[in-house]
Amino acid sequence: MSDIALHANAVQARAQARPGVPAMTMLRVLLGLFYLPHFYSKVVGFESTSVFFAKAGFHPPGFFVAFSAAAELAVAVALILGLFTRYAALVSFVLMVVAAYAIIQVKGLGWYWSGGGIEYLVMWGLASLVVFVHAWREEPGLLGFGRNIRL
């Protein structure tokens, strides 16, 4: 057996021996939890969010605010509970791409989050892609009901 195979077996044995929540489950749940304040802000700040959506070119803005709030809530619940994980993570990625597009349309291309840039959205989108790829590999079946449905 090669050194690489021995190392891989040792890493796998250590991972199986450690109790606790797997890192991918933690990432998935955190991604879902991060959506909740964004959903809430769209509900309580519907008018101001509609103004932003109109500036970004989404018309009718009220429809797109309601649609994005519903999508964010659905993605949050699915990711937190581990339901349809691969689809929820893919929708999460698409939401971040659209959000980045909107920010660029309204504020121009900036990177740093503290300056109104897309840094946070890129990180969130890439983390969503990681969860998507992992779920695609690990969850059998068309609907993704498999061994990863757990908290």
Side-chain angles (χ1 to χ4, degrees):
M1 196 176 249
S2 72
D3 288 341
I4 294 173
L6 288 173
H7 178 72
N9 288 340
V11 169
Q12 185 177 18
R14 277 194 308 260
Q16 291 172 348
R18 285 188 216 147
V21 179
M24 195 57 64
T25 300
M26 287 177 32
L27 178 60
R28 174 182 52 78
V29 170
L30 285 172
L31 285 173
L33 289 172
F34 286 156
Y35 273 105
L36 296 178
H38 293 270
F39 163 75
Y40 178 76
S41 71
K42 284 179 179 61
V43 172
V44 299
F46 189 86
E47 291 301 320
S48 60
T49 306
S50 292
V51 170
F52 175 81
F53 274 50
K55 287 180 183 177
F58 297 108
H59 297 285
F63 167 79
F64 282 103
V65 172
F67 180 79
S68 66
E72 288 175 1
L73 182 60
V75 165
V77 170
L79 288 173
I80 291 167
L81 298 179
L83 301 172
F84 309 108
T85 303
R86 62 177 131 180
Y87 302 110
L90 185 59
V91 171
S92 176
F93 172 75
V94 171
L95 285 171
M96 292 305 102
V97 169
V98 173
Y101 167 81
I103 292 289
I104 292 168
Q105 288 296 110
V106 173
K107 297 182 179 185
L109 181 59
W111 178 250
Y112 296 109
W113 171 78
S114 60
I118 61 171
E119 170 186 27
Y120 177 66
L121 302 171
V122 170
M123 183 276 308
W124 197 349
L126 291 175
S128 297
L129 275 181
V130 168
V131 172
F132 166 74
V133 169
H134 181 264
W136 192 265
R137 294 178 60 203
E138 296 294 319
E139 295 179 359
L142 178 64
L143 297 178
F145 287 116
R147 56 185 174 255
N148 273 356
I149 300 176
R150 62 181 177 267
L151 285 175

